Amino acid sequence: MPASATNVAIAGWVSHAEGRSQLVLAERLGGHDTFLTGVLQLGDRRVAVRIITLDDVTVLRPVAPETFADLAATCSGVLHLPHGSRRRAIPADLAAAASRHQRALDHLDDAELRYALTFLEEATTSHIRQARIDAIVAAIPVDARAGQATDEAARSRQGSANVG
């Protein structure tokens, strides 16, 4: 986990349900683990919040039983994250398989990568894990950059052979 804090400008709207208030962000936060806490600064007011990020939405819920009842329907502020942001680590076996098959995991967006890694982490046996690695790798497009590097290496070898 990064040691440096991160500050993120946010905007959203207040939602009230089941006696609780939450701030629904206009844009989903990427790279921030769900259920961690942060401090939301709205002008001079600072509120400890729990960050809940789902597939397509992030909400901030006050940790204490206070509400956002006094806020405008839409608001903006700064979310202070003492834990910083992080991208989930790609397991070595998945990275190696992708490389062997000339597939680049960076073709996956954040949601797809999260889904693939969760799918892989839930494997209960090594056989199931390998089958899931194979499925994930097969679903990723061939990395055109890998093909270009292979073509360039072949041309270089061919040019060297023609020189002698």
Side-chain angles (χ1 to χ4, degrees):
M1 187 179 296
S4 61
T6 301
N7 299 319
V8 180
I10 57 94
W13 61 91
V14 177
S15 168
H16 305 280
E18 301 173 7
R20 296 206 51 166
S21 297
Q22 61 186 11
L23 184 63
V24 180
L25 300 189
E27 293 185 31
R28 183 187 177 281
L29 290 181
H32 304 284
D33 286 345
T34 192
F35 303 117
L36 291 177
T37 57
V39 176
L40 177 61
Q41 184 172 352
L42 301 164
D44 293 334
R45 182 177 177 187
R46 294 175 66 91
V47 179
V49 293
R50 184 156 316 279
I51 304 159
I52 302 171
T53 300
L54 305 172
D55 285 342
D56 59 353
V57 68
T58 298
V59 297
L60 306 178
R61 289 190 179 155
V63 173
E66 64 185 285
T67 67
F68 291 139
D70 59 330
L71 294 179
T74 60
C75 60
S76 61
V78 176
L79 180 59
H80 302 280
L81 302 167
H83 46 76
S85 64
R86 60 185 175 220
R87 187 164 165 92
R88 292 179 68 177
I90 296 174
D93 54 352
L94 177 59
S99 177
R100 252 190 332 274
H101 294 282
Q102 298 182 340
R103 311 294 169 105
L105 292 165
D106 60 1
H107 284 294
L108 301 175
D109 65 27
D110 286 342
E112 291 168 334
L113 181 60
R114 229 180 15 263
Y115 179 82
L117 294 179
T118 300
F119 178 63
L120 186 56
E121 290 165 0
E122 292 174 348
T124 55
T125 68
S126 60
H127 178 73
I128 292 171
R129 182 177 179 86
Q130 188 57 53
R132 290 182 178 194
I133 287 172
D134 294 344
I136 292 167
V137 169
I140 301 170
V142 173
D143 187 5
R145 295 169 295 191
Q148 291 171 351
T150 302
D151 292 345
E152 289 171 12
R155 282 193 298 275
S156 176
R157 283 191 303 272
Q158 183 179 4
S160 299
N162 292 337
V163 171

